[in-house]
Amino acid sequence: MIDLLVLGAGLSGLVAALRAAEQGRRVKVIAKGMGAHHWNAGTIDVLGYLAGDEQPVEAPWTAMARLEDDHPYQLIERDAARAALTWFQTLTARCGLGYAGADGERNMLLPSPAGAWRPVFLAPAAQVGGAAGKDPMLIVGLEGMRDFYPHFIVRNLTAAGQPARAATLPWSVVSAARDRNSVQLAALLDEPAAQQRLLSALKLVAQPGERIGLPAILGLHRHTEVMAALQRELKCPVFEIPTLPPSVPGIRLTTALRHELERRGVRVEVGMEVIGFHAEGDAIQWVETATSARPLRHRAAAYLLATGGVLGGGFSSDPGGRFWETIFDLPLTVPQDRTQWFRPLFLDPQGQPAFRGGVSVDSSFQPVDADGRPVYANLWAAGGALAHADPILERSLEGIAIVTGVAAADAIVRERDFEGVRG
């Protein structure tokens, strides 16, 4: 029997699996899908906005004092939360993806695909060079590239006070074929010949003193080499701006974490939809996943729910007003009256109750019932499934995933007697 079965391959699930594996536990990850990394910018947002505030948060650690007492961040000591993010930086650096921030205290402002400033706590090294500042930017795109428009980005940046200008390169600089998405373009730029064509074209449009912003396509598997070559040859800062999905920076992060899990002997099995489970007393005995033949049972000493919330498929609902957690049918804080799921304004500054609801947990991240008692003795939860937070509104999605994933894994290792189970 394995020590820990992680349900979900999103950021919280992969982080928790790595944390437990580092501490010598036997871990397996199963998931219906790949998680949300492929849709995100690859950055780590800890806390970008407080509900009801229009201005972005400058100092996340200070702003957390204004969060409600039952917010996931309030379940963790600040020093432990900081340590979790430091551990993540060390982990990704070991995987070949450096993550950096402003100074460990403040958010940076990085450009979105539309040229709007977005508050970010940690970002891949390739994006950090695009932080708001006095140095002028040259935003460069490819003619005909879908969903990346340099002149539109520059118009919004200059309106916000950032010196910037735009340039467009011929599509043929990167690809001879027209129908290529951002992931395919990034793979093409792994090739030295494509890199050289891009370098030659950039030298024709760049001016001294500028930092060059490009769509996030600068290499897929050889990204670090591509970035180093561009900055060495151009002799100026080069940075990436995330594109609309699919997200190359998100795929790089997923790939790096998956490789590290594989190196540690952790299996990640995607395409495993959990369709049932069995418990005896207060302990889960197994979960089962659908297969082409009969259901496959997975047994473990401990289980971690990291399937996300309603947007990630961890929760479901029906027209009658029922809202439920899809694997263990855990109690949720979402109102069981569908008229209370949403406020009248779609972009209400307070967010939507349907997105803020979730699984309530205790200080050890075990799901609890209405009386505050653990529902199952060997079940924990982390990430987007947790109640009392709206990670999209708050721009706290990745921060909550990492901090709670680490905290839950540490609690499992600390509180579970794996040796007794093995024996």
Side-chain angles (χ1 to χ4, degrees):
M1 181 187 294
I2 61 171
D3 296 327
L4 173 61
L5 181 66
V6 177
L7 307 170
L11 185 58
S12 60
L14 297 184
V15 161
L18 275 166
R19 183 75 169 192
E22 279 188 356
Q23 299 178 69
R25 300 309 187 259
R26 297 176 298 183
V27 184
K28 184 169 76 171
V29 180
I30 62 173
K32 179 180 179 180
M34 289 294 296
H37 320 299
H38 291 39
W39 313 108
N40 296 341
T43 53
I44 306 303
D45 299 340
V46 171
L47 183 62
Y49 290 91
L50 291 169
D53 286 3
E54 293 185 1
Q55 295 302 312
V57 167
E58 182 177 347
W61 303 115
T62 301
M64 284 181 192
R66 294 176 56 191
L67 296 172
E68 296 179 11
D69 292 342
D70 47 10
H71 192 284
Y73 280 145
Q74 305 291 38
L75 302 176
I76 307 166
E77 294 292 335
R78 291 287 178 269
D79 287 346
R82 289 173 181 266
L85 291 170
T86 299
W87 170 83
F88 174 80
Q89 285 183 272
T90 302
L91 168 68
T92 49
R94 187 167 64 240
C95 295
L97 281 180
Y99 271 73
D103 56 8
E105 298 293 330
R106 295 175 296 127
N107 282 325
M108 302 174 287
L109 292 178
L110 298 181
S112 75
W117 292 125
R118 55 192 178 97
V120 173
F121 190 74
L122 293 175
Q127 295 185 34
V128 173
K134 296 181 180 179
D135 293 341
M137 296 178 175
L138 169 63
I139 308 300
V140 180
L142 297 174
E143 189 177 57
M145 182 177 176
R146 290 173 285 186
D147 300 325
F148 191 87
Y149 306 102
H151 292 84
F152 176 67
I153 293 171
V154 164
R155 186 162 64 248
N156 288 330
L157 287 174
T158 54
Q162 175 65 53
R165 67 184 184 93
T168 304
L169 305 180
W171 179 268
S172 58
V173 166
V174 177
S175 174
R178 293 296 305 177
D179 189 18
R180 292 287 184 268
N181 63 24
S182 57
V183 179
Q184 294 165 326
L185 292 171
L188 288 172
L189 280 170
D190 282 336
E191 302 171 5
Q195 295 171 33
Q196 190 56 54
R197 291 195 301 270
L198 178 60
L199 272 169
S200 299
L202 288 173
K203 287 178 179 179
L204 296 176
V205 297
Q207 295 179 1
E210 292 179 320
R211 40 186 171 145
I212 301 176
L214 292 149
I217 59 172
L218 301 180
L220 187 61
H221 303 293
R222 301 178 59 192
H223 167 63
T224 303
E225 299 172 41
V226 175
M227 284 294 299
L230 288 175
Q231 298 196 109
R232 182 178 61 250
E233 295 295 326
L234 293 169
K235 296 180 174 59
C236 71
V238 176
F239 65 92
E240 289 187 322
I241 298 175
T243 65
L244 296 182
S247 164
V248 172
I251 291 172
R252 292 179 192 138
L253 177 58
T254 303
T255 302
L257 296 178
R258 291 279 299 270
H259 284 169
E260 183 68 9
L261 284 166
E262 182 179 352
R263 188 180 73 82
R264 292 184 173 276
V266 178
R267 294 176 60 187
V268 179
E269 300 179 357
V270 176
M272 293 279 185
E273 182 178 4
V274 178
I275 58 173
F277 76 100
H278 175 68
E280 293 182 5
D282 66 348
I284 297 168
Q285 300 299 310
W286 45 258
V287 299
E288 60 182 10
T289 55
T291 70
S292 58
R294 61 185 179 183
L296 176 64
R297 290 181 178 177
H298 308 261
R299 301 177 184 272
Y303 299 81
L304 175 65
L305 182 72
T307 50
V310 62
L311 296 178
F315 306 154
S316 190
S317 63
D318 63 27
R322 183 170 175 244
F323 214 104
W324 68 94
E325 185 271 314
T326 58
I327 294 180
F328 302 107
D329 197 19
L330 296 171
L332 297 181
T333 62
V334 182
Q336 293 299 309
D337 177 354
R338 65 194 299 261
T339 65
Q340 302 301 312
W341 291 352
F342 301 102
R343 293 187 171 92
L345 293 177
F346 178 71
L347 296 178
D348 193 292
Q350 296 295 327
Q352 305 296 346
F355 299 146
R356 188 173 181 78
V359 176
S360 291
V361 295
D362 60 18
S363 59
S364 295
F365 288 89
Q366 291 202 265
V368 295
D369 60 21
D371 296 322
R373 295 186 296 249
V375 180
Y376 296 106
N378 59 343
L379 177 63
W380 285 258
L386 300 181
H388 311 302
D390 188 340
I392 303 299
L393 175 72
E394 299 168 352
R395 293 196 68 89
S396 61
L397 183 69
E398 296 84 13
I400 289 176
I402 293 169
V403 168
T404 63
V406 168
D410 288 349
I412 293 167
V413 170
R414 181 175 62 248
E415 299 176 17
R416 193 69 187 169
D417 180 12
F418 292 111
E419 296 303 325
V421 173
R422 291 171 184 168

